[in-house]
Structure formats: structure tokens, C-alpha cells
Amino acid sequence: MNTNKVVHAAVAVLMREDGMVLLGNRPAGKAWAGWWEFPGGKIEDGETPLEALQRELDEELGVQATEAYPWLVRTFDYPEKTVKLNFFIVKSWQGEPVGREGQQLSWQNPAALTVEPMLPANIPILSALSLPAVYAITNMMEMGEASFFKALALQLEKGLKLIQVREKQLGREALIAFAHKVIALARPFGARVLMNADWDDVMKAGADGMHLNSHALMNLSEKPHGLLVAASCHNTQEMAKAVQMNVDFVMLSPVLPTRSHPETQAMGWEAFAKMKQDYPLPVYALGGMQYSALKNAWQAGGHGIAMQRAVWE
């Protein structure tokens, strides 16, 4: 990290219902003029990040956020300064955004930008934004194969985009065969499939990524290349290791009491929010989740929710 003073900033990801996000082009006369970025700016003395966000949205775009959730906090070293960026997902606002500072605006698909160059600090944010709000975990062991695949087909039609294959009761060959079937169903819908398995099995199945359990995470020495990599975490030590390994997202549990681990003490939303504070990676809440908990997860700084049972019901 450079020795310059850290500049704290609030950054808004204005997100429409179709997933498109608003970017602005830095106007002439500003540092990095011509580069694209998310709207936002410096947090002034005495301001909270949310207060700074509202002020910047008004000054830059002439809008007022009516539904804004804390999301990621990332630090980035520019040659001239270090910035600590407090990102918020803004799901609704009053007014129509206009470039009040002479900047050009553009609604963009985070997975397929048509504008460039992007401000370096904002680039990792785009891959995080391509992750959906719901992460589904397979549950064939409880449901039976026929019922599970029927439920999977239904949820894919409804828009499910991210699935973890986790079936600890299956041997290697059976797990790979099961994953093949899940992937074959998911691909036409553009859904991505991760396997809770070792590297060889993931590659054999042709999955989009791998999901590391906490033991595998703590023993990881290098992030696997060319895959979406997620990790299960239960404490701050594991969450720190996930950052060190630069995994794509984490799943934090148990947030609420669960049927599968009734003896395990749930952390609750307050502890989840505390562990998520100042965290740079997207975090899914797991444990006792229902669709109705999505807003709780967002309010606590989570990216979304992970479900093993309710998602298939």
C-alpha cells in the first residue's frame, strides 16, 4: 500500500430490475477523465457513508436513493492515492438520473460492457455484480432423484442462475454423473454450476466452478485458475483466508437455526452484519433461509441468500 492518506468514498451501484447498472464517464478536467465509473465520491468529515452516498447522488445525478443497501468495501491503490470504497446497491430512487457535472451516462450489463476504459478500482465489482441474489444447493439425498430434478427444472424456468452440487452421500463416479445431469439441465438457461468436490472431479464433470468447504479453504495454497471459486465460512479466520485466496464469493453460516444442524448455535443477523462489515467479497447468508429473508441479507450487507431446502419447495 502506498504511504498516501487513505481517501474514504461512497459509491452507488444503481441497479434496475433487469440487472442493468448505471455508469458515468469522468468529464474533462477531472483526474482519469474519459474513464467510466460508478457514481459516488469522497466521504466528508462528519458524514456516514450513506449520507455521503445521498449527497453525491444528488450532486452528480439529481436523484435520491429510496432503497440502498451496504454491499462491498474495497481498498484500491492508485499511483496518487489509496481509496477505500464503500459500495452500496441502490435498488430504487426518486428522479431520473442526469449528468449534472457534464458527464455522459450509460446503463450497462455488468457481464458485457459496451463502454471502456473502466476505472481500475471498479473492475472487480463487475464480476461480483454478475452473481445472482440466490445460490441454490442440491438436495437429492432428502428429495430423491426424480423429485429433485423436477424441482430443478421448475426453478431454472423461474430464473435460477447459480447452483452448488453438494451430495456427500455419493461416491466419486456417482457424483460426477449427477453433476453431468445438473449441468445439462442448467446450461440452456445460462445457469452456472459449482461442485462441492475436488479439482479432478470438477474438471471431469465440466462444472463452471468449485465450492470449497471450510477445511479445503484453510488448506488452500493457490486459487484454482479458470473457474468460479466459492468457499464456506463460519468465522472471521475463514473469511480472512477467503480474501487472501481471492475467491469469488463466500457463504457464511449458520445465520438462523437449521434443520440439518439443530445443535449448532446460529449467529443471527446482527453478528452476520458485523462479520460482513468492511468485507471485500460478496457474501451469501446460509442457514434457515427462505426467500423472505433476502431483504434481511441485503440490509446486513450480504449479496444474497443460499438455500438447500426452501429453494426446491
Side-chain angles (χ1 to χ4, degrees), residues 135-148:
Y135 184 30
I137 303 166
T138 64
N139 195 22
M140 185 189 72
M141 184 171 73
E142 282 186 17
M143 298 172 68
E145 190 167 356
S147 294
F148 169 73

Side-chain angles (χ1 to χ4, degrees), residues 89 200 205 233 261-262 309:
I89 299 283
D200 289 341
C233 298
H261 299 92
R309 290 186 178 85

Side-chain angles (χ1 to χ4, degrees), residues 172-300:
R172 287 188 65 183
E173 293 308 317
L175 181 67
I176 291 166
F178 174 74
H180 271 305
K181 287 183 75 172
V182 173
I183 292 163
L185 262 179
R187 283 275 154 81
F189 293 93
R192 290 183 283 182
V193 178
L194 284 71
M195 280 181 75
N196 196 316
D198 65 29
W199 167 263
D200 289 341
D201 294 353
V202 172
M203 298 313 288
K204 270 186 184 174
D208 301 285
M210 68 189 300
H211 187 105
L212 305 162
N213 63 30
S214 53
H215 179 73
L217 169 67
M218 295 310 284
N219 286 313
L220 192 68
S221 57
E222 188 183 356
K223 180 187 176 185
H225 295 293
L227 290 174
L228 193 59
V229 181
S232 291
C233 298
H234 310 94
N235 54 49
T236 51
Q237 185 188 3
E238 290 164 359
M239 289 182 77
K241 175 74 174 187
V243 173
Q244 185 193 339
M245 291 292 104
N246 193 31
V247 304
D248 295 292
F249 65 92
V250 305
M251 199 168 71
L252 181 57
S253 70
V255 179
L256 302 178
T258 68
R259 267 191 274 164
S260 48
H261 299 92
E263 73 292 344
T264 307
Q265 180 70 39
M267 67 180 73
W269 287 116
E270 202 174 317
F272 177 91
K274 197 172 180 182
M275 289 173 74
K276 174 62 189 70
Q277 209 167 1
D278 273 7
Y279 198 66
L281 304 177
V283 179
Y284 287 88
L286 174 70
M289 292 296 115
Q290 306 273 345
Y291 279 103
S292 57
L294 199 46
K295 198 165 270 196
N296 298 91
W298 290 337
Q299 285 167 342

